[in-house]
Amino acid sequence: MSSSGSDLAHAPVAVLGAGSWGTALAIQFARAGHPTRLWSRSAADVVALRGERQNARYLPGAKFPDAIEVHDSLASAVRGALAIIIAVPSHALRPLLTQLKPLLARDARLAWATKGFELDTGKLPHQVAYEVLGDHYPVAVLSGPTFAKEVGAGLPTAMTIASPDEHFAHQLAKSLHAPNFRAYTSTDIVGVEVGGAVKNVLAVGAGLSDGLGFGANTRIALITRGLTEVVRLGVALGAQPETFMGLAGLGDLVLTCTDDQSRNRRFGLALAAGKSVRDALAGIGQVVEGYTAARAVHLVAQREKIDMPLVTGIYRILYEHESARDVVKDLMTRPIRSEVE
């Protein structure tokens, strides 16, 4: 659906989800000049956010601009907001969209920073949105190599906004634009969402690899061969191959696999140090998307009959309790083949 009838220039923005990334996005929208509502379902968190004017739990030190209002009512947060940004984990997307449906104005537009296939259905976020809401609203996904802490601190950042509606993607990019922030646009929502889903799995593998002392050669092999798997799955689902050479593909993959700000990478490091899955997840203290994504991506790959040996290996470690060393040995002894297959 076209969004050409309204402009986002002075419209309020609602950010739904007050975790680290939702908070960082709210700060960035406010920094770029928008009245911004930040919504949390937790009444206790709302009290703390309002009182401290920062998210001390998830993004300490990033003070809220004056333009941010904190809401505990979903209805008040979205009322009159032409841009609604969803920043919740993948398992919470469908319930939130269902809750949102009766509250949406006819001219509302939705975007999400949610990454990952829905576990029960294997659907991408935009497919879940269309299933719940129909195709009545312009939709977009925000993705790319971004850590919330650095966005909150105002450090230079670039990301990708993908939407079938080019006008909406362009408006959303403009609404985030500031001296510290640049957004590029794409129409390949499938490719951007696949890149965001699979990179989290591979980042768990990178943490495992580094934690076990396999070295830089192994890490770069995992990243480059992992990118091949991302492209293979994405193209099978209808993505454009060139999308995976950009910010939401290679950029996000390299960032998440190599920097310890990544919860997925830290989860892999904790497993390599001998912690159980449960203890490693508890130690992170926030949702580790790569854990559930490993299962979801593995199921989608099986459904589509796509060969993804790295994802399968990480799945075996997390869910079938195989040792990482045995999985690496299996990967290294696979039959020789062309690199471009």
Side-chain angles (χ1 to χ4, degrees):
M1 179 177 175
S2 174
S3 59
S4 57
S6 303
D7 196 334
L8 294 178
H10 303 291
V13 173
V15 178
L16 309 182
S20 57
W21 187 220
T23 301
L25 282 171
I27 290 172
Q28 185 57 39
F29 276 111
R31 189 182 280 141
H34 291 267
T36 304
R37 294 98 170 254
L38 176 62
W39 171 81
S40 171
R41 67 173 64 254
S42 167
D45 286 351
V46 168
V47 170
L49 294 169
R50 286 174 175 167
E52 299 174 12
R53 298 298 296 171
Q54 66 170 317
N55 192 332
R57 180 180 179 187
Y58 293 125
L59 204 66
K63 293 293 186 180
F64 290 176
D66 291 342
I68 290 181
E69 296 178 350
V70 182
H71 288 246
D72 57 4
S73 163
L74 188 60
S76 69
V78 303
R79 188 177 299 122
L82 291 185
I84 298 170
I85 314 299
I86 298 171
V88 299
S90 56
H91 69 267
L93 179 62
R94 184 182 292 270
L96 181 55
L97 289 171
T98 302
Q99 194 178 355
L100 263 179
K101 186 175 181 179
L103 303 175
L104 294 176
R106 293 181 64 183
D107 56 355
R109 284 164 282 186
L110 293 95
W112 46 83
T114 302
K115 295 180 177 180
F117 292 94
E118 188 175 47
L119 184 56
D120 292 339
T121 66
K123 294 181 185 294
L124 289 165
H126 78 277
Q127 295 172 316
V128 175
Y130 286 146
E131 191 172 284
V132 174
L133 303 175
D135 60 356
H136 310 299
Y137 307 100
V139 298
V141 59
L142 294 77
S143 191
T146 50
F147 284 133
K149 181 179 179 182
E150 296 185 10
V151 173
L155 299 179
T157 297
M159 72 181 311
T160 299
I161 298 173
S163 173
D165 185 326
E166 292 183 72
H167 184 67
F168 180 37
H170 182 70
Q171 284 187 316
L172 203 53
K174 283 177 61 179
S175 71
L176 279 165
H177 185 73
N180 70 303
F181 202 97
R182 180 174 177 83
Y184 293 83
T185 64
S186 169
T187 57
D188 185 12
I189 196 167
V190 173
V192 170
E193 288 186 334
V194 170
V198 184
K199 63 94 180 182
N200 285 329
V201 184
L202 296 168
V204 175
L208 274 162
S209 175
D210 284 356
L212 292 169
F214 288 152
N217 291 351
T218 307
R219 185 194 316 122
I220 200 62
L222 185 149
I223 291 170
T224 51
R225 294 308 300 169
L227 181 62
T228 298
E229 296 188 16
V230 176
V231 175
R232 195 180 291 152
L233 180 62
V235 170
L237 295 175
Q240 301 164 12
E242 57 268 26
T243 296
F244 302 109
M245 299 302 111
L247 291 166
L250 179 62
D252 208 2
L253 177 63
V254 170
L255 181 79
T256 314
C257 285
T258 59
D259 194 289
D260 287 348
Q261 291 181 73
S262 164
R263 296 195 293 267
N264 299 289
R265 175 178 163 80
R266 295 203 313 273
F267 174 59
L269 288 167
L271 293 175
K275 290 188 178 181
S276 67
V277 167
R278 177 180 295 183
D279 287 346
L281 291 172
I284 300 298
Q286 297 184 55
V287 173
V288 179
E289 288 278 11
Y291 175 62
T292 51
R295 185 176 167 202
V297 175
H298 177 66
L299 292 173
V300 173
Q302 286 188 315
R303 182 190 74 195
E304 300 294 326
K305 297 180 171 56
I306 303 298
D307 185 31
M308 301 184 74
L310 285 171
V311 167
T312 299
I314 295 163
Y315 170 83
R316 286 163 52 194
I317 293 166
L318 296 181
Y319 290 94
E320 296 179 355
H321 312 296
E322 295 195 33
S323 78
R325 293 185 185 278
D326 287 345
V327 168
V328 170
K329 181 180 179 181
D330 288 348
L331 289 169
M332 294 301 290
T333 55
R334 281 165 52 86
I336 292 173
R337 59 190 296 179
S338 168
E339 185 177 14
V340 297
E341 285 185 52

